[in-house]
Amino acid sequence: MRKLDARGLECPLPVVKTKELLKESSEAVEVVVDNETAVENLKKFAKVKGYDAISSKVNEDYTVVISSGEQVVEEKKADNILKGQIVVLSSDSLGSDKELGKILMKSFIFALTKQDAFPETIIFYNEGVKITTQESDTVNDLLFLESEGVEIVNCGTCLDFFKLKDDLKVGSITNMYDIVERMEKAEKVIKPN
């Protein structure tokens, strides 16, 4: 088993370096990191790529062992999901006027719930993560979309920056590497900000 000491590396470097090692050989990789966000990012990376991931805490650090396993079978998406379409929200408001922009953002997300088909994924980063961390009608709309099969993902670095990680109400935490990869592979990216 190969070992990677990724302590002190900023997101998304632990994932990038792990991916490089896995490309070189099918041998398992043991990654040591120093924060839970890195653990979650590595586990999400493993799931997307079809690898097995086992994590454990050792003293103040975390160990994630990633190995090739059975290929992950994608969950069956509902018929009302527009495969390959993602919505990217980098702000908690739309347009230049903050007060009006918050009203417009609430309306935009509500309007998504009323469409015949939903985007496959909604990505929140920068101030956009504030939307997924506040008790509101908008969070309830996002919970509805998630229940319909829409994947909601949030930038972990952004949640940490705004000290909102413990306040997350909807969706999962990811990293910028994953966000870029999703945007690159998407058939259609909608970014209304």
Side-chain angles (χ1 to χ4, degrees), residues 38-150:
V39 173
E40 293 307 312
N41 289 340
L42 287 164
K43 288 167 75 174
K44 181 172 277 292
F45 161 76
K47 181 179 178 183
V48 168
K49 296 298 183 183
Y51 294 113
D52 293 325
I54 300 169
S55 63
S56 59
K57 186 169 183 179
V58 181
N59 299 323
E60 296 298 313
D61 296 321
Y62 302 85
T63 300
V64 182
V65 176
I66 299 177
S67 59
S68 60
E70 295 292 321
Q71 194 66 16
V72 173
V73 178
E74 274 190 47
E75 293 177 17
K76 185 179 182 293
K77 298 283 185 183
D79 292 336
N80 60 345
I81 296 295
L82 298 168
K83 187 118 176 91
Q85 184 179 97
I86 63 173
V87 174
V88 179
L89 300 172
S90 62
S91 177
D92 58 347
S93 67
L94 292 177
S96 57
D97 184 281
K98 256 323 200 186
E99 188 177 342
L100 174 59
K102 287 181 186 281
I103 295 167
L104 294 175
M105 180 61 78
K106 180 179 177 180
S107 295
F108 176 81
I109 292 172
F110 176 75
L112 283 177
T113 69
K114 299 304 179 189
Q115 301 306 303
D116 293 331
F118 308 125
E120 183 174 18
T121 307
I122 303 176
I123 297 171
F124 294 89
Y125 68 91
N126 205 323
E127 287 188 332
V129 299
K130 292 178 179 179
I131 296 169
T132 62
T133 58
Q134 301 163 358
E135 288 289 342
S136 67
D137 292 339
T138 303
V139 164
N140 291 333
D141 289 338
L142 291 170
L143 287 167
F144 167 78
L145 289 168
E146 190 174 52
S147 74
E148 290 293 312
V150 177

